[in-house]
C-alpha cells in the first residue's frame, strides 16, 4: 500500500473521490496526509472527517516559494509519503518540491492538455468555443501543466452549457479518472518514456 499525500486548496471533491475509492479497495494505497495553503479549504474538513491528518500551511509565514515548498516537503517526508497528488492545489510548485518527488507527483487538470493550461481550464474552453473538452491526469514537472499525460477523458461542450454545467460534467470525468490513474501508479504500472507515459498490461 503506497502512502499518498494530497495537496489541495479548494473544496476537495477530487480528494473525496480518491478517499472513497481507496476505502472501496480500488486504489493500492491510502491517503495519509492532506496539506493546504488555504485555512478555509473544504479539503481540510473532508480529510479530518475521514480521519486523515490535515494541515494548513500558511504561505505568508515563508519568505518565498522555495521556503514554503521546503515546509511542504518536510511534512510529506515526515509521513513517509511516496506519492504526492495535487487535487486543486492553486500554487505552482517550485523545483524544491518537484526535485524532492521526481516523477512521483500527479495532477489533474480540467481540460484536454495541452489545450487550455493554467487557471480556469473549463472557462477557457467555454470562451474559446470548442465542442469537446475534458480532463487530463498527468505527471508534474517544472512547467505549467506540462508533464507526461497519463490519462484523458473527453466531454462534450453543449450549446446550452453554462460554466457550472460544463464544470459538473468535467468533474464527473475527473472522479472516474483520477482514482484509476493513482491506482495504476501505486501498482507500478506507469512507465515514463520521454514525453509518453505507458501503462503496463494488467497482470
Ligand atoms: C478540479 O477541477 C481540478 O481539475 C482542478 O481543480 C479542481 C479542484 O476541485 N485542478 P476540487 O477541490 O477537487 O473540488
Amino acid at each position: 500500500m503506497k502512502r499518498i499525500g494530497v495537496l489541495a486548496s479548494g473544496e476537495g471533491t477530487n480528494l473525496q473521490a480518491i478517499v472513497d475509492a481507496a476505502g472501496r479497495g480500488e486504489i493500492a494505497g491510502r491517503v495519509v496526509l492532506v496539506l493546504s495553503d488555504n485555512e478555509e479549504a473544504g479539503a481540510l474538513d473532508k480529510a479530518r472527517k475521514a480521519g486523515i491528518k490535515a494541515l494548513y500551511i500558511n504561505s505568508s509565514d515563508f519568505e518565498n516559494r522555495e521556503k514554503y515548498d521546503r515546509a511542504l516537503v518536510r511534512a510529506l517526508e515526515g509521513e513517509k509519503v511516496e506519492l504526492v497528488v495535487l487535487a486543486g492545489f492553486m500554487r505552482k510548485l517550485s523545483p524544491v518540491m518537484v526535485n524532492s518527488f521526481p516523477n512521483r507527483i500527479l495532477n489533474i487538470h480540467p481540460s484536454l492538455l495541452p489545450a487550455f493550461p493554467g487557471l480556469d481550464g473549463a472557462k477557457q474552453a467555454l470562451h474559446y468555443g470548442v465542442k469537446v473538452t475534458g480532463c487530463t491526469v498527468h505527471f508534474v514537472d517544472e512547467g505549467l501543466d506540462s508533464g507526461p499525460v497519463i490519462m484523458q477523458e473527453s466531454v462534450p461542450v453543449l450549446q446550452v452549457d453554462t460554466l457550472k454545467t460544463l464544470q459538473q460534467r468535467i468533474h464527473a470525468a475527473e472522479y472516474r479518472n483520477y482514482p484509476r490513474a493513482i491506482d495504476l501508479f501505486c501498482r507500478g504500472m506507469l512507465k515514463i518514456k520521454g514525453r509518453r507515459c505507458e501503462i503496463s498490461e494488467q497482470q
Side-chain angles (χ1 to χ4, degrees):
M1 288 295 244
K2 287 259 190 266
R3 297 176 66 81
I4 302 168
V6 176
L7 272 51
S9 307
E11 234 188 294
T13 60
N14 275 282
L15 166 69
Q16 191 68 58
I18 294 161
V19 169
D20 291 347
R24 293 192 300 268
E26 292 168 14
I27 296 180
R30 66 189 180 100
V31 180
V32 295
L33 179 65
V34 173
L35 299 178
S36 183
D37 61 334
N38 171 15
E39 198 171 13
E40 317 271 277
L44 290 174
D45 292 335
K46 289 184 170 69
R48 289 178 186 134
K49 280 203 183 96
I52 297 163
K53 181 173 176 183
L55 300 176
Y56 160 57
I57 305 185
N58 184 352
S59 60
S60 46
D61 290 344
F62 299 87
E63 268 167 50
N64 54 39
R65 214 149 57 92
E66 286 69 26
K67 288 198 174 144
Y68 183 78
D69 281 9
R70 228 162 264 141
L72 295 179
V73 170
R74 262 199 305 276
L76 293 162
E77 287 179 347
E79 290 298 327
K80 299 191 167 48
V81 163
E82 300 165 277
L83 168 67
V84 179
V85 168
L86 307 184
F89 192 58
M90 299 310 285
R91 292 171 63 87
K92 190 168 181 299
L93 301 184
S94 75
V96 169
M97 258 299 284
V98 179
N99 296 334
S100 298
F101 293 93
N103 294 335
R104 288 192 290 142
I105 307 177
L106 307 186
N107 184 40
I108 188 144
H109 183 79
S111 77
L112 293 175
L113 290 172
F116 312 125
L119 288 179
D120 299 324
K123 197 175 187 180
Q124 291 186 57
L126 196 62
H127 287 176
Y128 192 93
V130 291
K131 304 296 186 198
V132 176
T133 185
C135 67
T136 303
V137 184
H138 64 95
F139 281 99
V140 172
D141 62 12
E142 286 181 24
L144 180 67
D145 299 323
S146 59
V149 170
I150 300 167
M151 211 174 261
Q152 294 186 299
E153 183 175 329
S154 60
V155 308
V157 182
L158 306 180
Q159 213 147 294
V160 291
D161 266 335
T162 59
L163 181 57
K164 193 160 172 233
T165 58
L166 179 59
Q167 266 167 343
Q168 281 168 346
R169 198 172 306 117
I170 294 173
H171 264 131
E174 291 183 338
Y175 307 153
R176 282 191 288 274
N177 283 266
Y178 216 2
R180 279 175 50 213
I182 291 167
D183 179 53
L184 289 170
F185 178 94
C186 290
R187 289 192 286 134
M189 293 176 77
L190 302 178
K191 294 270 166 308
I192 299 177
K193 294 197 177 157
R195 273 216 52 83
R196 299 179 73 140
C197 171
E198 291 181 0
I199 301 177
S200 334
E201 293 298 315
Q202 208 88 23
Q203 282 143 26

